[in-house]
Amino acid sequence: MLLGLPLALAAQTRVVSGSVVDAANGESLPGVVVSWESATKKTNIVTNTYGMFSLTVPIEGGTVTAQLLGYSPYTHAVKAGRDGVKLTIRLSEQSFELGEVSVQSQKLDNNVKTTEMSVSSLTSKEIKKIPQLLGETDIVRTLTLLPGVSTVGEASSGFNVRGGNADQNLILLDEAPVYSSSHLFGFFSIFNADAVRDVTLYKGGMPSNYGGRLSSVLDVRQKEGNSERFAAQGGIGLLSSRLTVEGPLVKRKASFMVSGRRSYFDLFLPFTGNLELQNTTIYFYDVNAKVNAQLSEKDRVFASMYFGRDQFGAQDLFDFGWGNWTSTLRWNRAVNSKLFFNATAVYSDYTYSLGTPEDAVPSFKLDSRIQNTVTNLGWTYYASTRHKLDWGVQNTYYVFSPGQITGAFDIALSKEYANESALYFSDDIKVTERLSATAGLRYSGFANLGPRTVYTYADPRYPTTTSIVDTTVFARGDVVKTFTGLAGFEPRLALNYEVGPKASLKLSYNRSRQYIHLISNNTTATPVNVWRPAGTYIDPATVDQVAVGVVQNFREDNGIRLTLEGYAKSFSNLVDYRDGADLVFTDDIETELLTGAGRAYGAEVLLEKKTGKVTGWIGYTLSRTERLIDGPTRITRINNGEWYPANYDKLHDLSVVFTYSPTKRWDFGGTWIYQSGRPITYPDARGEFEGIFYPVYTNRNGARTPATHRLDLSITRSVGKRASWNFGVYNAYGRRNPYSIFFRADFENPTNVNAYRLSIFGSAVPFFTYNFSF
C-alpha cells in the first residue's frame, strides 16, 4: 500500500507547461507569474529566463492566468482530464489612459513571495526614460543609481557593488563574459539599449549557477528578434546614432535582430580650427546580432554575437584601441513537461592595443589580450509547483596574453593558460505557506597550466626580483598549480518568510571564489589594465556575504514598494599593489603585489513607485569598505599594517529618480545624486635628493575628495506613434564635481606645491536625440 501511494497520488495530478511570449514580437518573457486556480488548489509559478514554466495541478478543471506588469492579464480555461496540457501564452501590452491604471498583476507582489533579494531588474523601456549624458541611453550608468552600486567618479570605467572592486563583477552578455563594459574611458556603456531585452543585477544571494566573481553578477540578455513582423528603430543624437532591424525569417518559427551604433564626434573635429584637434581620432562603434529558430515543439536554438571597438589617437603621437568580441550558441530543449535542458557554447575575446601610428619613426605597438572558451550544461526540473531543482556543469578555458611589444624592438611577456570548472545544484522549495527557501551548492576548481616559467624565491610569501633562487620550466599541458579541495565549495542559501500578503522578511548567505584578478594601481579600471590568473604566488580570492532584508508593498493602485537591506562581507586573499609598484609590462608581477583581507558592511533603502503618472525611486546607501594588508616589514605592508579605506569607499550615496507622464505625448524625467567624497592618497611629506624634490606617501587613502552631487533633466515629446524628440541637460546647475586631486610644484619655486581639482564636467551639458521606429 505504501509503495502504491505515490502512484495513486500521481494519478490525481497532471502537468500544465509551456512558454510565455510577447504577442507583438514573439520575444520570450521571463518573470511572468503563471497561476492555476481550481476548486481544490490555488498555486502559481514564475517563468524562467527563457520564458518557460511548468505547473503540477489536479485533474479537475481550472483556470490558468498569466500576469506581468505592463501587459494585459491572460486567462485560459482548462477542462478536467488526465492528460497534460501544453500552452504557448501570448501577452499583449496593456493599453490604458494614464491616471486610470488598475494594477491587476501579481508581478508587483512577486518581490514578497520569492526568495530573491539584493536583485534589481530593469527593462530597456525603463532605462530609456532616465536622463543620460548627451542623451545616450546607458545601462551601466542607470544601475549606479540603485542602492549598493556606485562608481569612483564621473566618466569612470566599471562599477562597484557593495564594497567590491570593478573586476569582481561578472558581466554577461547572452551568457558570454565581458571584460570591459564601457566606451570612451567610461563615458558610455557598451550595451546598446535598443538591442537589449532585459538586465538583471545580483548584488547578493547569487544563484549557484553563477560563479567566478566575488561581488555581483550583471546578466544582460539581447533581444531575440521580432518573429511576427519586420520592424526597425533607431536614434540620431549629438554624439552617436544607432539603428536596429529585426523580423521573422519564418513567422513564429525563426527570427533575427541586427543592431549597430557609431559615434561621430570625431567627424566635427576638422571644423574646430584647432590644429591639434584636427589631427585627433576619437570614436567608438558596436554591432549586435542574434538569430533564433524553433526547430520543433521541444527544441529551440539561438546564435548571437557582439563586436565593439574604441579608437583614440593623435596623429604622430599615439594610437590607442580596445574592444570586446563575444559569440554565443545556445540550445534549449523541453525534455518533457517537467524537465528543461540548456546547453551553451561561448567564445569571448578582449583586446587592447597602444602605440604609435604605423608610419611613425620609430614605431612602437603594445598588444594585450584575454580569451575565453566557455561551455555550460544546465537542467531545470519542476518536481511540483512547490519544488524546483536546478543543476549543471560549467567549464571555462582561459588564455592570458598580458603584453607583446613590436616595432623598433620585439619583446613579449609570458602567456598564461588556465582552466576553471564547476558543478552546481540548487533546490527551490516552498516549505510552508509562509516560508520559502533556496538552498544551493557550487563546487569550483582551477588549474594554472603550462607552458610557463616559474621562479622560486627565498621567501615565497614576499617575492622580490632580488631573491630568485631557482627556475622551473613547465611544458605545454603541464599543471603549474591547482586549486581544489574543500576550499572549492561555495554554499548558497536564501530564505523568505511572508509576514503578510504584502510584506516579508528575507535572509541570504553566499560564498564566492574568484580565480582571476585585474592588476591595476589606478583608481578606476582602464582599458590597459591586465588580467592575471591565480597561480604559484597569487591565490584565489574568497568572500562570504550575509544579508538581511524587509520588503513592504503598499496599495496596489499606486505600486509603491519599500525595501530595506543590510549586508556584511568578509574578503580574503585580496590583491593590492605595493607602495611604489611598477605594474607596466612586468612579467614577474608577483614581486609587485601584496595579499590581504577586506571587509564591507552597510545598509540600503529603496523606495519605488512602479505605476501611475509619476514613477521612479529613491535609493540610499550607508556603507563602509576597508582593506588590511600587513607584513613583517614596511615594504610588505600598506598603511603601516592598519585598516584603510578602499579606493571606492563612500559613506553616503543618495539617488532620486523620477519620471512624470502627464499625457501619452509628454514624459518629464529627472535624477539627482549625492555621494560622499572618495578616498585619495595625499603626500604627507616631501623629500629632497640632489636638488630634486619628491613627495612622500605613507597613509594610503587617508584623505577624501569633496562630495559629488548633480542634477540631470530631460523632456521627451512623442510625435505620433513612431517618433519622439528627447531634450535634456546633464549637470543642470554646472557643478564641478571632483574626479581627482593632484599636486603640482611651481616651476620657478619648487618648494611651492599647489593642489588642483580635476573635473570631467565643469558646466551644464545640453543634449537632444531624435528617436524613430517603423
Side-chain angles (χ1 to χ4, degrees):
M1 290 176 61
L2 291 174
L3 291 173
L5 183 61
L7 297 176
L9 292 175
Q12 304 303 314
T13 62
R14 57 177 168 166
V15 176
V16 177
S17 62
S19 60
V20 183
V21 299
D22 190 315
N25 52 36
E27 292 266 356
S28 59
L29 293 175
V32 179
V33 179
V34 182
S35 307
W36 167 270
E37 186 172 357
S38 64
T40 63
K41 188 168 185 177
K42 185 177 181 181
T43 187
N44 64 74
I45 201 166
V46 177
T47 57
N48 67 9
T49 304
Y50 312 108
M52 298 177 177
F53 70 92
S54 177
L55 287 164
T56 300
V57 301
I59 61 175
E60 62 190 1
T63 303
V64 174
T65 304
Q67 297 172 308
L68 181 64
L69 185 64
Y71 289 82
S72 298
Y74 170 95
T75 301
H76 179 81
V78 178
K79 296 180 180 180
R82 297 183 181 276
D83 295 334
V85 178
K86 188 83 170 179
L87 297 175
T88 299
I89 299 175
R90 299 181 179 274
L91 295 185
S92 300
E93 287 196 18
Q94 206 165 28
S95 178
F96 52 79
E97 292 296 326
L98 289 166
E100 300 178 0
V101 183
S102 176
V103 181
Q104 300 176 359
S105 172
Q106 292 184 21
K107 177 67 175 176
L108 276 177
D109 289 334
N110 193 47
N111 62 325
V112 174
K113 301 180 183 299
T114 180
T115 57
E116 278 189 350
M117 69 177 299
S118 309
V119 178
S120 301
S121 297
L122 294 171
T123 65
S124 61
K125 291 181 181 179
E126 293 175 300
I127 295 171
K128 288 179 180 180
K129 291 184 178 181
I130 298 172
Q132 306 282 4
L133 175 62
L134 293 177
E136 188 69 29
T137 302
D138 193 317
I139 290 174
V140 173
R141 192 181 296 272
T142 302
L143 292 174
T144 63
L145 299 173
L146 296 170
V149 188
S150 64
T151 64
V152 297
E154 294 178 312
S156 298
S157 298
F159 55 97
N160 307 101
V161 178
R162 288 186 171 178
N165 201 359
D167 70 319
Q168 296 171 5
N169 304 313
L170 177 61
I171 303 174
L172 300 174
L173 179 60
D174 276 351
E175 301 185 49
V178 174
Y179 288 91
S180 177
S181 61
S182 62
H183 284 306
L184 296 183
F185 302 100
F187 281 96
F188 306 101
S189 163
I190 67 165
F191 303 113
N192 181 352
D194 286 351
V196 169
R197 184 188 71 186
D198 56 63
V199 179
T200 303
L201 176 68
Y202 297 88
K203 299 181 293 184
M206 297 179 195
S208 58
N209 60 307
Y210 294 116
R213 299 294 189 277
L214 300 184
S215 291
S216 76
V217 177
L218 176 59
D219 195 347
V220 181
R221 302 280 175 162
Q222 294 188 100
K223 289 181 177 178
E224 297 170 358
N226 195 319
S227 64
E228 298 289 335
R229 63 181 181 85
F230 286 96
Q233 62 178 314
I236 302 172
L238 289 175
L239 175 76
S240 66
S241 291
R242 63 191 189 278
L243 178 65
T244 302
V245 180
E246 55 185 330
L249 298 173
V250 178
K251 190 171 184 179
R252 294 191 176 181
K253 293 290 185 181
S255 62
F256 75 95
M257 183 277 297
V258 178
S259 183
R261 181 175 58 157
R262 193 200 191 277
S263 69
Y264 38 68
F265 183 73
D266 57 309
L267 301 180
F268 299 100
L269 295 180
F271 303 100
T272 61
N274 187 309
L275 293 178
E276 293 182 355
L277 290 178
Q278 288 177 0
N279 296 325
T280 299
T281 300
I282 180 169
Y283 66 88
F284 72 84
Y285 64 88
D286 49 41
V287 178
N288 301 73
K290 193 168 187 176
V291 176
N292 82 92
Q294 188 84 35
L295 302 182
S296 69
E297 189 178 81
K298 292 187 174 183
D299 298 283
R300 192 173 186 183
V301 295
F302 305 80
S304 62
M305 63 80 65
Y306 166 86
F307 182 78
R309 192 73 181 169
D310 285 72
Q311 287 296 142
F312 178 47
Q315 189 173 0
D316 300 330
L317 293 177
F318 66 90
D319 190 17
F320 187 15
W322 68 94
N324 297 277
W325 171 31
T326 71
S327 55
T328 302
L329 180 63
R330 188 172 75 240
W331 169 37
N332 293 144
R333 177 172 175 79
V335 181
N336 55 46
S337 59
K338 290 190 173 187
L339 181 61
F340 299 92
F341 170 70
N342 179 70
T344 307
V346 167
Y347 177 74
S348 174
D349 191 350
Y350 172 69
T351 61
Y352 78 76
S353 176
L354 172 64
T356 60
E358 294 182 358
D359 56 352
V361 178
S363 63
F364 164 85
K365 188 177 182 182
L366 169 63
D367 293 294
S368 184
R369 188 177 192 181
I370 177 173
Q371 299 163 274
N372 290 175
T373 304
V374 183
T375 51
N376 296 329
L377 301 177
W379 290 262
T380 299
Y381 179 67
Y382 292 88
S384 69
T385 53
R386 304 171 66 95
H387 195 189
K388 179 171 73 78
L389 302 174
D390 292 276
W391 67 93
V393 58
Q394 302 168 340
N395 190 81
T396 303
Y397 180 71
Y398 298 94
V399 179
F400 300 86
S401 304
Q404 179 177 1
I405 294 177
T406 56
F409 58 92
D410 295 340
I411 187 174
L413 297 179
S414 301
K415 287 187 177 183
E416 291 192 73
Y417 304 85
N419 197 82
E420 180 180 348
S421 300
L423 301 170
Y424 69 88
F425 176 83
S426 179
D427 189 353
D428 193 344
I429 185 169
K430 194 169 182 64
V431 182
T432 68
E433 289 304 316
R434 290 179 178 268
L435 179 63
S436 301
T438 300
L441 182 64
R442 181 183 181 86
Y443 181 80
S444 62
F446 190 84
N448 191 307
L449 306 173
R452 178 75 173 147
T453 299
V454 177
Y455 298 119
T456 302
Y457 299 91
D459 186 352
R461 296 174 303 166
Y462 305 106
T464 64
T465 55
T466 58
S467 63
I468 299 174
V469 296
D470 198 3
T471 302
T472 304
V473 178
F474 293 88
R476 180 174 297 276
D478 286 351
V479 176
V480 178
K481 176 77 172 180
T482 60
F483 298 92
T484 55
L486 295 178
F489 285 103
E490 304 173 31
R492 316 283 171 90
L493 177 66
L495 300 173
N496 182 75
Y497 182 78
E498 296 179 37
V499 180
K502 294 190 177 299
S504 67
L505 303 176
K506 294 175 181 278
L507 171 70
S508 71
Y509 164 78
N510 70 269
R511 166 172 284 192
S512 299
R513 216 170 186 216
Q514 181 165 333
Y515 297 96
I516 63 175
H517 305 271
L518 183 66
I519 308 301
S520 170
N521 58 359
N522 300 313
T523 299
T524 179
T526 67
V528 298
N529 296 145
V530 297
W531 291 82
R532 291 294 182 93
T536 306
Y537 300 105
I538 301 177
D539 290 328
T542 304
V543 68
D544 292 279
Q545 178 178 194
V546 177
V548 295
V550 178
V551 175
Q552 174 67 63
N553 292 354
F554 298 95
R555 292 166 41 193
E556 288 188 347
D557 59 349
N558 58 28
I560 295 180
R561 311 195 304 193
L562 175 65
T563 303
L564 306 175
E565 291 190 15
Y567 69 89
K569 302 171 74 172
S570 176
F571 299 87
S572 61
N573 294 327
L574 292 180
V575 173
D576 208 336
Y577 61 93
R578 295 173 182 257
D579 289 334
D582 181 7
L583 305 180
V584 179
F585 209 73
T586 302
D587 211 349
D588 47 352
I589 194 71
E590 63 271 9
T591 62
E592 305 292 339
L593 304 177
L594 296 172
T595 302
R599 62 189 182 192
Y601 47 91
E604 300 171 359
V605 181
L606 178 62
L607 180 63
E608 301 175 277
K609 189 173 187 298
K610 304 291 287 186
T611 62
K613 291 184 178 181
V614 178
T615 58
W617 68 81
I618 299 175
Y620 172 72
T621 306
L622 177 70
S623 64
R624 275 291 183 226
T625 304
E626 298 173 309
R627 300 287 182 261
L628 175 65
I629 296 180
D630 198 4
T633 64
R634 192 186 70 81
I635 63 171
T636 59
R637 56 178 177 255
I638 295 177
N639 202 48
N640 296 317
E642 299 177 352
W643 287 96
Y644 62 94
N647 290 337
Y648 34 85
D649 173 63
K650 295 181 179 180
L651 181 61
H652 301 287
D653 190 340
L654 174 65
S655 300
V656 180
V657 180
F658 76 91
T659 301
Y660 175 54
S661 304
T663 69
K664 289 184 177 181
R665 292 185 177 274
W666 291 96
D667 287 302
F668 300 88
T671 63
W672 185 79
I673 66 166
Y674 173 88
Q675 295 176 346
S676 300
R678 68 168 182 83
I680 191 171
T681 303
Y682 289 162
D684 49 15
R686 184 186 64 198
E688 180 183 357
F689 179 73
E690 295 183 352
I692 299 176
F693 295 92
Y694 59 90
V696 177
Y697 302 88
T698 60
N699 189 4
R700 178 75 66 91
N701 289 343
R704 289 186 179 269
T705 63
T708 293
H709 53 86
R710 188 187 73 244
L711 174 67
D712 307 326
L713 300 171
S714 71
I715 300 174
T716 301
R717 173 69 163 89
S718 297
V719 183
K721 295 183 178 180
R722 301 291 185 182
S724 66
W725 286 96
N726 178 245
F727 303 90
V729 58
Y730 181 87
N731 194 22
Y733 51 78
R735 164 73 174 174
R736 294 185 62 196
N737 288 309
Y739 179 80
S740 183
I741 304 293
F742 64 95
F743 298 86
R744 181 183 296 166
D746 191 318
F747 181 76
E748 296 181 355
N749 183 12
T751 61
N752 183 20
V753 179
N754 297 311
Y756 296 86
R757 173 191 299 194
L758 173 63
S759 298
I760 304 299
F761 301 101
S763 60
V765 181
F767 63 83
F768 76 88
T769 304
Y770 175 70
N771 301 299
F772 59 87
S773 64
F774 55 86

